[in-house]
Amino acid sequence: MAAYLFRRLVQSALILLGVSFITFVLLYVLPADPVRQIAGRSATQQTVENIRHQLGLDQPMLVQYARYLSGLVQGDMGRSYLQKTEVASLIAARLPASLLLMAGGIACELVIGLSLGVIAALWRGRALDQGLMVTSFVAVSAPQFVVGLLLLYVFAVQLGWFPIGGYGTFAHLVLPSIALGIMGSGWYSRMMRSAMVEVLRQDYIRTARAKGLTRARVILRHALPNAILPIIAMIGIDIGIFMGGMVVVESVFGWPGIGQLAWQAIQRVDIPIIMGVTLVSATAIVLGNLLADIVTPFIDPRIKLR
Amino acid sequence: MADATAQAGRPVPEGVLARLLRRKLALFGFAVILLVVGGAVLAPWIAPYAPDEQLFEGLTIEGAPMAPGGQFLMGTDLLGRDLFSRILYGARTSLIIGVVANGVALVIGTLVGVTAGFVRGWTGAVLMRFTDLMMAFPALLLAICLAAIFQPSLWIVAMVIALVNWVQTARVIYTETTSLAEREFIAAERTLGAGPVRILFRHILPHLVPTLIVWGTLGISVTVLLEATLSYLGVGVQPPTPSWGNIIFENQTYFQAAPWLVFIPGAAILMLALAFNLVGDALRDVLDPTQRGQG
């Protein structure tokens, strides 16, 4: 276990190194010149060169990358070009809002997805099952920004139950969480349905019924836990999808998270922020995958760590 | 080619179309796809107005867009352009990007997957580690970055989407290729003296066709959604070229007063993505016997 964990951690670190290098190269070769953005239109050639030199942007790319990396291992993600603030502190200020939204999205995805999946499995082959499975297809085909705008229109503008965007209270969290989680709930309901159908076919379920346990008890105590755990372990893999969805949902609802930070930075060619957010997201994705791989064998002993 | 496929053990079973057409949901999906393709192809003849013509009668006296109904079937947008005409021309954007971007992604994914799975050794290892690395990228963030960097046009957006989306295909094809390469009939062929090229083209690739058809169809849905999202954020297809995503991008500030400008294109995106998902799912059931009974 320790050896496995060590190997996976090294692998993850290498992947993150690769991500940082590719992002750096992409941003380095980009045609938009950040120095022009900082200096403004009326700046003289001399001023532009001075700023370029100050930021170290006149150095060869590999030197710049090495310098970035050496800062990174000391916890320094550089300074924003335009806001003159530490990138690490900008991200740290925005991260809680994003984590809150992600938690809301995951909760929504699981509650809707798993319960619909169980219901569909129990009513397998009937109209209810078919209806739910069509609904799940609609959910995975719905663009998040359209869902977000629809929720805003119906529940905030028309009914006035929730605030129109913003951040602060629980009421602010509800609509963005649904917008973020609805697509995943479609996938989860399908996975949950087939997991549940599979478990209900097993011999031990028939045995439990034969012992005289009620159907409800068999489902709740025997079938559900066995079907649900492997699926919950998959959340780790979803982090990447959430990271993408966050940019969209935060933009629709004006949610002050790292998605918005990244989006604004991209528009202003503020490279250190783009780098920082990409790396934070990639770290979350890698850790999520790692967690899913580590947890799964504990849940399902038939799966072994390799 | 058809002959070669038949000799290789008929990987695509007979009567696929017939079995597909018996499924109501797949049929619905086909109908929607046909409708959208028809609208896109026939746009110049069906569209009542030019898609970027700012009509004088397209705005009210106060300068507000017209609601659906009456002269304008789906209403008009903030600039007084006919929304129905823009939706028809927007279908072209969605379909072109859906097919081109997904096609390129499928080709890259297949090349990487087959090479890694068939050649193995360090070439395979390097390719698969690179695939792992791509999996760790926040895909949408990467796409937004790339699109923002290269002043987006229709083809650039398609390439950006392809660059982000090939990874899943590569992994699936890799897994399938490795398991195929270990099967007995491949070993038998090898003992009979078949070279790697012959094995690859006569036996491996034909068996990958069903998987590619399924992933190709499902992938279009992913691509359509990604294009819409990029265009909605303003880094996708640029106005005045209409795309369902950028119609929403252009009009969303006004969506409380003119919700049709957001929800008609939104419904169009959803229907097209749904259609490809339904057809893809039905194809998976029909083409892949191991999955049957689970759906």
Side-chain angles (χ1 to χ4, degrees), chain A residues 19-20 23-24 27 68 72 76-78 87-88 91 95 258 261-262 265 270-284, chain B residues 138 141:
Chain A
V19 169
S20 75
T23 317
F24 203 88
L27 297 176
Y68 182 82
L72 199 63
D76 177 12
M77 302 178 102
V87 171
I91 292 180
L95 205 54
I258 58 169
L261 184 68
D270 202 337
I271 292 170
I273 297 186
I274 307 176
M275 271 302 287
V277 175
T278 309
L279 282 183
V280 169
S281 312
T283 312
Chain B
L141 211 57

Side-chain angles (χ1 to χ4, degrees), chain B residues 77-128:
Chain B
D77 73 358
L78 291 186
L79 298 176
R81 295 173 296 191
D82 178 46
L83 185 60
F84 179 54
S85 308
R86 288 186 73 70
I87 292 280
L88 282 175
Y89 279 91
R92 295 184 155 192
T93 312
S94 289
L95 286 174
I96 290 175
I97 292 196
V99 171
V100 171
N102 189 53
V104 174
L106 213 59
V107 170
I108 303 177
T110 310
L111 280 177
V112 172
V114 168
T115 314
F118 194 64
V119 180
R120 308 274 186 95
W122 66 266
T123 319
V126 167
L127 283 174
M128 285 330 280

